[in-house]
Amino acid sequence: MPDVASVTVTPLSPVLGARMDGIDLHRPLDEAAFAVVHDAFLRHQVLCFPGQHLSADDQIRFCGYFGRADSDYKAPASQLAPADRTRADYRKGVMLVTNVRKDGVPIGNLPDGDMQFHSDGAHRPNPYLATTLYGIRVPREGGDTLFANLYAAHDALPPSMKERIEGLRVHNVYLLDATDAAEFDADDPRMRHAVHPLVRVHPETGRRALYVNRLMSRWIEDMDRAEGEALVAELVAVSERPELVYAHKWTQGDFLIWDNRCVNHARSDFTPDEVRLLRRYTISDAA
Ligand code: SIN
């Protein structure tokens, strides 16, 4: 059990994120320790716990403190037979984000290259509350995970735009494993699709976040299609302003959690010659 007094919280950037030292997540957290973590999570939106040695069970236990640790099976891009996937992790609903291949076929999801900004599950009726990623093998260069502060994006809008978008709803569409909006046809009726408020009031902080992203958000409910697409494009550009973004350079053993209700994330490119292997687990609202 960590001694709460020895835990330190250090901001990672002026825009969002904090590093938490003094907590070994291989061990269960007591109520006092979780209160410190939860408070930092709400204040900083992204937390990094460096130097961790975590099993899938450790990661799942940590997720369970925040809500319902998700257990739905995430189909890997490769559609490999279950026996050919990686150990027991998939059976626990853990998703591997990796470029590792077996016989030329990816063993996990989102294998290569950069990825546009998005919020996990924004294309589902119940988006994920938070996502965790654990760095098992990380490249020396690139493959950063970028985080954009959606509270700050809403704050940055002029008052007239804030007034215009309050109460509007945005259509989000996504095809599993796509890393770029150009990879799928948003009008294809088979695509997973959900409509959400464009201005999302965070249920715990009460703050307003601009809930829009480049990969999934397409048009506005009850608005002329072209007008809605133009509005989405304008808002997406605001949400990606460089001064609102923090780029996390991974070190092996980093464990990250971020709040999908007020943060978008993306990925920078990396060389296929180096292994990138991260273990991802999501958290939903407790039922
Ligand atoms: C993701 O979007 O879940 C993956 C992010 C990453 O690979 O850095």
Side-chain angles (χ1 to χ4, degrees):
M1 216 77 78
D3 172 8
V4 170
S6 66
V7 173
T8 59
V9 184
T10 313
L12 285 166
S13 82
V15 66
L16 95 186
R19 170 189 167 114
M20 300 209 63
D21 289 285
I23 298 191
D24 175 4
L25 297 178
H26 179 54
R27 304 186 184 288
L29 297 182
D30 64 12
E31 229 174 90
F34 178 64
V36 171
V37 170
H38 189 240
D39 177 66
F41 174 71
L42 293 182
R43 275 192 293 123
H44 297 283
Q45 305 163 254
V46 178
L47 300 179
C48 173
F49 300 83
Q52 301 293 321
H53 300 276
L54 302 180
S55 65
D57 286 330
D58 295 333
Q59 192 165 350
I60 292 166
R61 182 184 58 243
F62 179 80
C63 290
Y65 298 136
F66 287 82
R68 180 171 62 80
D70 292 308
S71 58
D72 48 328
Y73 167 68
K74 314 286 193 305
S78 62
Q79 301 298 326
L80 285 176
D84 292 333
R85 294 177 198 140
T86 50
R87 301 185 302 278
D89 286 353
Y90 270 113
R91 290 197 291 276
K92 294 173 183 158
V94 171
M95 181 172 126
L96 293 178
V97 174
T98 184
N99 59 354
V100 173
R101 287 168 162 78
K102 181 176 178 188
D103 301 330
V105 183
I107 64 164
N109 294 72
L110 305 171
D112 302 314
D114 59 348
M115 184 169 190
Q116 292 178 331
F117 272 105
H118 59 285
S119 178
D120 287 334
H123 63 302
R124 304 162 85 242
N126 300 305
Y128 301 113
L129 182 159
T131 303
T132 62
L133 261 189
Y134 174 52
I136 299 169
R137 298 272 303 273
V138 298
R140 275 168 299 186
E141 281 289 318
D144 300 348
T145 306
L146 315 178
F147 295 100
N149 183 338
L150 302 181
Y151 293 142
H154 185 266
D155 290 347
L157 298 174
S160 57
M161 181 60 97
K162 284 184 182 150
E163 208 175 302
R164 179 177 176 207
I165 66 172
E166 187 73 27
L168 295 184
R169 285 156 54 86
V170 61
H171 282 255
N172 295 319
V173 193
Y174 183 57
L175 173 69
L176 183 68
D177 278 322
T179 55
D180 189 305
E183 289 170 25
F184 56 95
D185 173 9
D187 287 309
D188 185 329
R190 290 167 302 179
M191 220 56 76
R192 292 196 76 175
H193 187 129
V195 188
H196 294 294
L198 198 46
V199 179
R200 188 165 183 188
V201 179
H202 194 290
E204 294 183 85
T205 66
R207 295 182 66 189
R208 282 177 154 63
L210 183 61
Y211 194 58
V212 71
N213 70 76
R214 184 174 295 277
L215 184 60
M216 300 166 170
S217 302
R218 285 294 190 280
W219 58 87
I220 304 293
E221 187 177 59
D222 298 331
M223 186 181 283
D224 168 76
R225 173 79 178 246
E227 191 188 343
E229 286 174 347
L231 178 59
V232 167
E234 188 178 345
L235 296 171
V236 162
V238 173
S239 73
E240 296 181 356
R241 283 185 186 161
E243 67 271 23
L244 307 184
V245 174
Y246 160 68
H248 185 75
K249 294 193 183 312
W250 284 88
T251 299
Q252 193 171 311
D254 282 352
F255 176 74
L256 266 61
I257 179 169
W258 64 87
D259 189 338
N260 287 311
R261 301 165 296 183
C262 55
V263 172
N264 280 344
H265 63 285
R267 181 171 77 196
S268 69
D269 202 4
F270 57 100
T271 169
D273 302 333
E274 284 193 71
V275 171
R276 189 175 189 271
L277 174 60
L278 306 170
R279 193 170 58 217
R280 176 183 180 273
Y281 212 89
T282 52
I283 302 164
S284 291
D285 286 311

